[in-house]
């Protein structure tokens, strides 16, 4: 697997890494479905093992994925794998427990120790601030960063990571947010956190930013910060695996049940666009996986993708897309086919007007 270096962190990871959100299984957090249904632990473990066998070295999880379940499955892999060969990322910030805030230093300490125990490891390679909500006046920010720095000094964390521009999940249900706000917010906390790696959502559905001053990839290159790209497959949407006439029905505990992209209108619009991609690049599932992942990898030399999975077949297909770059002209073609799709689909969440 070709390696990418995550900027100044110096971490060398396979260009395609393994996202472990789905294998946490169905889950609820903050009053919302936040997991994935249809998961089988033994299939998940076989998928993880296949990833190592195929040369993957980067695994991304979070304390909150299945409330520790994802970390514990990954911990089973770590028992039989040379720990120092792997780059493990996990996150803190979406689970508050009984603390006044999820970024209260005591809660962070508790979550880190629990993550280490779940994973069965002495350290995590990348420890991310999973969201940018540090209290109404950022009253938890300074202490949270000090806690992170202590974790690093103690050797429990190698690299500090931070979520890219985004809206705190519960706030997305409230009001339409401006993308400018997200970016400004990101810049403001970044000045305090000084992350070495950021994690951003990016895929063929993401509007292309032409202004370099507002483009997260340009920012990361200027600051030599590594970028881990999540949701590269649009959580399955970009593979054209759903029929708009028979949209999927997700069970309780699956976050996709509240996303309008998975409804008939979103799928119908998507199918029309993806037909053009298929006509050019091939129409099989592996063809679509390759275009989706390589489109993301073309966005930055400092970054990698983490692709989620449910089983060994998906892992093998996703890793097989490595090294099969798209040309600049092909990337531009994809971009032009997908341009404006977000506006056409409309609201992001079912029953809300938030993007
Ligand atoms: N920092 C953050 O806040 C954040 C946010 C989101 C994600 N992430 C990380 O990024 C990772 C990737 O994002 P994601 O998992 O949300 O979305 P994704 O990688 O875009 O999509 C993953 C899903 O697509 C389907 N899939 C994957 N490979 C497939 C294949 N070859 N053929 C058919 N279907 C396939 C699977 O779901 P089905 O089989 O059910 O279709 C899988 O769970 C996560 O696992 C997580 O580690 C981080």
């Amino acid at each position: 697997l070709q390696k990418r270096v995550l900027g100044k962190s110096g971490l060398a990871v396979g260009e395609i890494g393994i996202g472990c959100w789905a294998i946490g299984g169905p889950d609820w957090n903050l009053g919302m479905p936040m997991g994935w249904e249809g998961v089988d632990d033994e299939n998940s473990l076989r998928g993880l093992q296949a990833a190592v066998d195929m040369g993957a070295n980067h695994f991304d999880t979070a304390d909150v994925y299945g409330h520790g379940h994802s970390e514990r499955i990954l911990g089973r892999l770590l028992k039989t794998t040379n720990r120092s060969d792997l780059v493990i990322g996990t996150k803190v910030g979406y689970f508050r427990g009984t603390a006044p805030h999820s970024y209260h230093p005591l809660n962070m300490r508790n979550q880190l120790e629990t993550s280490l125990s779940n994973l069965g490891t002495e350290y995590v390679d990348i420890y991310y601030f999973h969201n940018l909500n540090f209290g109404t006046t950022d009253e938890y920010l300074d202490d949270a960063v000090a806690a992170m720095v202590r974790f690093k000094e103690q050797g429990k964390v190698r690299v500090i990571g931070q979520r890219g521009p985004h809206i705190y999940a519960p706030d997305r249900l409230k009001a339409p947010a401006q993308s400018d706000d997200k970016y400004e917010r990101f810049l403001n906390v970044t000045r305090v956190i000084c992350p070495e790696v950021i994690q951003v959502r990016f895929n063929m559905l993401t509007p292309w930013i032409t202004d370099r001053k507002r483009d997260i990839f340009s920012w990361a290159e200027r600051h030599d910060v590594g970028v881990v790209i999540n949701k590269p497959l649009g959580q399955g949407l970009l593979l054209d695996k759903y029929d708009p006439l028979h949209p999927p029905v997700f069970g309780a505990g699956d976050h996709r049940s509240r996303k309008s992209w998975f409804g008939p209108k979103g799928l119908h619009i998507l199918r029309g666009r993806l037909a053009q991609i298929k006509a050019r690049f091939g129409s099989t599932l592996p063809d679509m996986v390759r275009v989706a992942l390589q489109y993301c990898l073309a966005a930055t030399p400092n970054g990698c993708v983490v692709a989620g999975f449910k089983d060994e077949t998906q892992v093998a297909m996703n890793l097989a897309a490595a090294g099969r770059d798209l040309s600049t002209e092909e990337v531009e073609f994809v971009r032009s086919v997908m341009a404006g799709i977000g506006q056409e689909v409309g609201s992001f969440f079912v029953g809300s007007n938030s993007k």
Side-chain angles (χ1 to χ4, degrees):
L1 203 59
Q2 290 187 20
K3 291 276 195 305
R4 294 274 187 101
V5 176
L6 297 177
K8 61 186 160 198
S9 77
L11 293 174
V13 294
E15 65 175 25
I16 300 175
I18 309 298
C20 299
W21 181 9
I23 65 170
D27 196 31
W28 290 260
N29 191 36
L30 302 170
M32 289 182 276
M34 285 237 189
W36 297 66
E37 65 174 3
V39 176
D40 174 276
D41 290 350
E42 297 314 309
N43 283 340
S44 304
L45 192 58
R46 274 193 289 274
L48 292 173
Q49 189 56 60
V52 172
D53 294 345
M54 289 184 72
N57 72 337
H58 178 201
F59 295 81
D60 180 73
T61 182
D63 58 351
V64 77
Y65 295 167
H67 278 71
H69 193 69
S70 167
E71 289 179 336
R72 286 188 286 276
I73 301 283
L74 196 48
R76 286 173 66 189
L77 175 80
L78 262 58
K79 281 200 177 95
T80 57
T81 312
N82 187 359
R83 173 65 183 91
S84 60
D85 291 344
L86 304 183
V87 171
I88 305 290
T90 191
K91 315 186 188 83
V92 59
Y94 266 117
F95 183 72
R96 196 182 87 179
T98 56
H101 194 275
S102 54
Y103 288 135
H104 188 289
L106 281 177
N107 190 58
M108 287 178 63
R109 163 77 55 191
N110 184 56
Q111 289 311 107
L112 175 61
E113 293 298 344
T114 309
S115 289
L116 294 175
S117 165
N118 282 337
L119 290 162
T121 182
E122 302 282 306
Y123 66 95
V124 291
D125 299 273
I126 315 175
Y127 201 38
Y128 293 93
F129 286 107
H130 202 167
N131 65 65
L132 309 183
N133 174 0
F134 291 92
T136 43
T137 57
D138 279 342
E139 64 273 24
Y140 290 97
L141 179 57
D142 289 343
D143 286 350
V145 174
M148 269 288 191
V149 170
R150 263 196 310 280
F151 300 157
K152 244 188 115 166
E153 286 164 1
Q154 291 166 348
K156 292 178 186 244
V157 166
R158 285 177 72 197
V159 163
I160 297 175
Q162 181 196 314
R163 180 80 170 255
H166 91 123
I167 302 163
Y168 183 53
D171 293 346
R172 300 189 80 162
L173 295 170
K174 289 185 201 151
Q178 301 300 319
S179 52
D180 288 4
D181 299 347
K182 284 193 288 191
Y183 193 70
E184 289 304 325
R185 173 79 193 139
F186 166 81
L187 290 183
N188 285 339
V189 290
T190 301
R191 287 183 194 107
V192 184
I193 296 174
C194 305
E196 294 158 86
V197 171
I198 56 169
Q199 189 164 138
V200 301
R201 177 184 63 195
F202 179 77
N203 57 44
M204 283 157 49
L205 301 173
T206 310
W208 187 250
I209 312 253
T210 44
D211 179 358
R212 272 180 60 82
K213 288 198 192 117
R214 308 204 72 79
D215 168 33
I216 191 67
F217 295 114
S218 306
W219 177 89
E221 274 177 55
R222 282 198 301 279
H223 293 84
D224 196 21
V225 166
V227 185
V228 174
I229 295 174
N230 67 45
K231 302 189 191 173
L233 303 169
Q235 308 201 300
L237 285 167
L238 293 169
L239 307 181
D240 200 26
K241 57 192 263 188
Y242 300 113
D243 180 353
L245 297 175
H246 303 96
V249 179
F250 297 111
D254 193 313
H255 71 99
R256 293 172 292 182
S257 59
R258 60 191 170 89
K259 299 202 172 147
S260 42
W261 282 95
F262 290 91
K265 181 183 167 197
L267 292 175
H268 177 72
I269 293 168
L270 202 50
R271 177 150 285 184
R273 307 278 183 125
L274 293 178
Q276 298 174 60
I277 307 279
K278 286 181 158 182
R280 168 134 190 200
F281 296 99
S283 58
T284 66
L285 210 45
D287 292 329
M288 298 303 279
V289 166
R290 178 237 169 181
V291 175
L293 297 183
Q294 288 297 340
Y295 177 81
C296 296
L297 287 167
T300 175
N302 267 1
C304 67
V305 297
V306 280
F309 76 99
K310 296 271 187 66
D311 58 31
E312 198 178 340
T313 308
Q314 292 184 351
V315 166
M317 196 186 296
N318 300 346
L319 290 174
R324 299 175 59 213
D325 308 13
L326 298 179
S327 68
T328 308
E329 190 272 318
E330 287 172 328
V331 170
E332 272 159 20
F333 171 80
V334 173
R335 197 177 295 152
S336 67
V337 167
M338 301 305 279
I341 190 168
Q343 287 94 312
E344 203 181 338
V345 173
S347 306
F348 186 81
F349 286 120
V350 175
S352 101
N353 55 4
S354 172
K355 293 292 286 177

